Amino acid sequence: MTTPMRTPLTAPVRTAAAPVTAVTCLEDRAHLEREVVLDLEPGVHRLRLGPVAAPAVDRTLHAEPFSGPPATVRDARLVRAWTPRPRIPADDDSALRLRAKALEEESTALERSRDRLRTRLDLLGGLAADLLREIGEGVGFGESEVPRWTRDLDRVDAEREEYGERLRTADARLAEAGAALGAVREALALAEEEPAELTAYAELTVEVAAAGPVGLRLSHLVPCALWRPAYRAVLDGDALALETDAMVWQRTGEDWSGVRLTLSTARSASAVEPPRLDEDRLVLKDRTTAERRTVDVELREEEIGSLGPAAPVNGLPGVDDGGEARVLHAPVPVSVRSDGRAHRVPVSSFTTPAGVEFAASPELSPLVTRVVRGDNRSGHALLAGPVDLVRGSGFTGRGTLGFTAPGAPFELAFGGDDDHRVVRETEESRDTTGLAQRTVVTRTVRLHVSRFSAPGEDGDRTLVLRERIPVSEVSAVEVRVRAEVCSPVPDAVDAEGVVRWDVTLPPGGRRTVTLVYEVSASARVAGL
């Protein structure tokens, strides 16, 4: 029986690419998966896979084999290094960078030429000094070689003047080249200069039992990635088509090319802790004589709401998933560049019968809004997000879609309708009646509704008008709609104090709707 030799840990590190194959995009980060298949011999191998995204979270790195002969990952870690830009010219360098390189080479050549000229001038200066010393010594000994001395001095002076002029020219050209190089470097720093790039690799120590292709899967978290839902609603007659998209942003440092994209609302970074319970002490005390004699009331505005969406926050809002983590899948592989821009990824689409309603709340706005209702037939929850509204004439505006469970109804406002006009008038009177001196406040609201129709338009149109009345929270104050003097009688009055009429208008028709209600209070009530 023989035991296969194992590769020592001092063996060379093998480098291989590990492209991103699957991405799970969370609310403020992403979970990346990478797969690579390598032919490995039996033994222990050191592998360097990547490069991977430099901002990857080290403690989330996980590596495991998924195919091939039995293998074990003994160690997995991320290593990073700064990779400076190479100094040698490259084929893809810009004209600005090539100009800087040419000026650097020219400056170097001019500096060498200047040094040679200075050395030549120094030698000529020494030669002239020796010649003058020789003339002085010859005159002292009574020698007279005036023609030779004159010829030698003239030749030395001519060469010194020539090389001096060449040195001044070299200094001037070097100064000009230095100024041009400084300007080019400044422009290069503003336009193209990039700092050293931080690169990261995943280093694995893998032990393989038998030779063959081994498949390795790596996964880790990375910041600088997020997604938000977005929609596109197209109204075509009695049908409403709703397209669900995901807006994906990522600046992780590497592009996602042809990956399986999963969109999740899970908040992995949120601490899972129960809320802290604080002591809440209730104390009973007797009411004073003045408090027993009067009841203070005040009129306040209350927004009708329900459980669900959280309070809005400044900046980019979070994903409203109704309190439960939701998972969506892109139907086809997608590519998202690491440029920090929004990339629209289709998720699903469906068509539902559209119920169109022309609604108006004159107390809030004189406009009549076209409200379209439909059912969620996408098979998944519709998360809260913006909606691009499209009709037959094209893009009409942008609305907002709230969280909608699968199969639940939803509604979208497709903007105002110019064919209608609503004018609101109010009157108020106050009176005291009965022996108990009850205060009665009577309010009258008149709504004048008009329909402007194009020539040749026929058919009646139903307009839904909504008006509100106060809702009393104490028995000392009563609110009553005087149906006998209302014209017409309201079709419905809900528990929230919203009164509704379904008004039918023919082409060019007009109508006045009158609402009368009373707010009565006993003499003990103050503040009404």
Side-chain angles (χ1 to χ4, degrees):
M1 180 177 180
T2 60
T3 303
M5 295 182 62
R6 297 186 176 181
T7 305
L9 293 180
T10 58
V13 179
R14 181 176 176 180
T15 303
V20 179
T21 57
V23 176
T24 301
C25 198
L26 306 176
E27 185 174 312
D28 59 351
R29 63 202 65 201
H31 183 267
L32 306 186
E33 290 187 4
R34 307 170 184 271
E35 293 182 359
V36 61
V37 179
L38 301 173
D39 290 328
L40 300 178
E41 298 295 330
V44 179
H45 301 266
R46 296 178 62 192
L47 306 176
R48 172 174 288 188
L49 305 181
V52 302
V57 183
D58 296 68
R59 59 184 177 85
T60 62
L61 178 64
H62 177 72
E64 61 180 0
F66 69 91
S67 66
T72 304
V73 178
R74 297 299 184 184
D75 184 41
R77 67 184 65 186
L78 290 174
V79 295
R80 296 175 177 84
W82 290 99
T83 304
R85 183 180 177 88
R87 293 183 177 274
I88 59 176
D91 296 336
D92 59 346
D93 279 346
S94 64
L96 191 62
R97 190 172 293 277
L98 294 176
R99 174 63 175 165
K101 184 63 178 178
L103 288 174
E104 290 176 356
E105 294 177 353
E106 182 181 357
S107 299
T108 303
L110 289 174
E111 288 177 355
R112 293 174 180 175
S113 177
R114 182 186 61 181
D115 294 340
R116 289 195 298 269
L117 291 172
R118 286 178 176 175
T119 302
R120 184 75 175 183
L121 286 174
D122 291 342
L123 292 176
L124 289 174
L127 181 59
D130 293 341
L131 184 58
L132 292 175
R133 184 173 58 255
E134 179 186 354
I135 294 173
E137 291 177 354
V139 172
F141 285 105
E143 299 178 356
S144 177
E145 299 182 5
V146 176
R148 184 176 66 83
W149 293 341
T150 303
R151 184 175 61 254
D152 292 344
L153 286 175
D154 291 342
R155 182 168 58 85
V156 171
D157 290 341
E159 290 187 6
R160 292 181 66 182
E161 183 177 355
E162 177 186 355
Y163 284 103
E165 184 63 28
R166 291 171 63 179
L167 179 60
R168 288 189 292 271
T169 303
D171 288 336
R173 291 179 58 188
L174 184 61
E176 293 177 359
L181 181 60
V184 171
R185 285 176 175 174
E186 183 178 357
L188 193 62
L190 295 176
E192 298 184 14
E193 192 67 23
E194 296 180 358
E197 181 181 0
L198 180 63
T199 57
Y201 290 87
E203 287 193 352
L204 307 182
T205 302
V206 181
E207 183 177 359
V208 183
V214 178
L216 298 174
R217 179 182 293 114
L218 282 73
S219 63
H220 59 85
L221 283 177
V222 64
C224 306
L226 70 157
W227 78 281
R228 293 295 183 270
Y231 304 91
R232 184 174 185 267
V234 180
L235 180 61
D236 185 8
D238 296 334
L240 177 66
L242 187 65
E243 302 173 1
T244 303
D245 298 333
M247 304 299 294
V248 181
W249 297 263
Q250 70 108 344
R251 198 66 179 268
T252 60
E254 61 178 334
D255 298 337
W256 303 338
S257 301
V259 300
R260 303 186 306 273
L261 181 62
T262 302
L263 307 164
S264 175
T265 63
R267 298 168 176 85
S268 57
S270 300
V272 183
E273 296 181 357
R276 181 178 179 180
L277 300 179
D278 297 327
E279 182 179 356
D280 190 5
R281 180 173 298 179
L282 302 179
V283 179
L284 299 178
K285 67 176 184 179
D286 294 335
R287 292 187 299 171
T288 62
T289 304
E291 291 175 343
R292 294 193 186 97
R293 187 179 301 115
T294 60
V295 178
D296 291 330
V297 298
E298 62 179 2
L299 186 65
R300 69 177 186 273
E301 300 283 344
E302 287 288 344
E303 182 178 356
I304 301 174
S306 58
L307 296 178
V313 297
N314 296 327
L316 186 65
V319 181
D320 174 23
D321 55 8
E324 179 181 351
R326 310 283 176 169
V327 178
L328 304 177
H329 300 277
V332 296
V334 301
S335 298
V336 181
R337 292 180 57 84
S338 177
D339 53 8
R341 299 183 178 180
H343 297 265
R344 201 175 188 107
V345 178
V347 176
S348 66
S349 63
F350 66 92
T351 303
T352 179
V356 181
E357 175 185 286
F358 294 89
S361 299
E363 185 180 3
L364 302 178
S365 173
L367 301 178
V368 176
T369 305
R370 184 192 299 262
V371 180
V372 179
R373 292 182 172 86
D375 297 328
N376 179 13
R377 299 184 176 183
S378 63
H380 58 81
L382 299 179
L383 308 179
V387 186
D388 293 334
L389 306 174
V390 181
R391 291 171 56 185
S393 58
F395 179 77
T396 60
R398 176 168 293 179
T400 302
L401 178 67
F403 176 83
T404 307
F410 65 90
E411 63 179 30
L412 295 172
F414 270 75
D417 189 86
D418 297 335
D419 294 345
H420 300 85
R421 175 177 295 178
V422 181
V423 178
R424 183 174 184 267
E425 298 178 353
T426 59
E427 295 180 2
E428 181 177 322
S429 61
R430 184 182 297 266
D431 192 10
T432 303
T433 61
L435 297 177
Q437 297 295 308
R438 293 185 64 86
T439 301
V440 179
V441 179
T442 304
R443 292 192 177 94
T444 303
V445 180
R446 293 184 178 87
L447 307 177
H448 305 283
V449 186
S450 304
R451 178 185 176 187
F452 305 96
S453 304
E457 184 177 358
D458 56 359
D460 295 342
R461 180 175 294 176
T462 301
L463 180 63
V464 179
L465 296 178
R466 289 181 174 87
E467 189 69 29
R468 62 174 180 170
I469 62 175
V471 177
S472 176
E473 297 178 344
V474 295
S475 59
V477 179
E478 297 179 359
V479 181
R480 182 176 67 91
V481 176
R482 298 184 58 185
E484 68 278 5
V485 294
C486 292
S487 175
V489 178
D491 294 310
V493 181
D494 60 19
E496 305 293 343
V498 178
V499 184
R500 195 196 78 215
W501 294 269
D502 296 334
V503 180
T504 302
L505 291 177
R510 298 182 179 180
R511 191 165 180 183
T512 300
V513 176
T514 304
L515 169 65
V516 181
Y517 65 91
E518 292 180 347
V519 180
S520 60
S522 63
R524 299 189 306 118
V525 175
L528 183 63

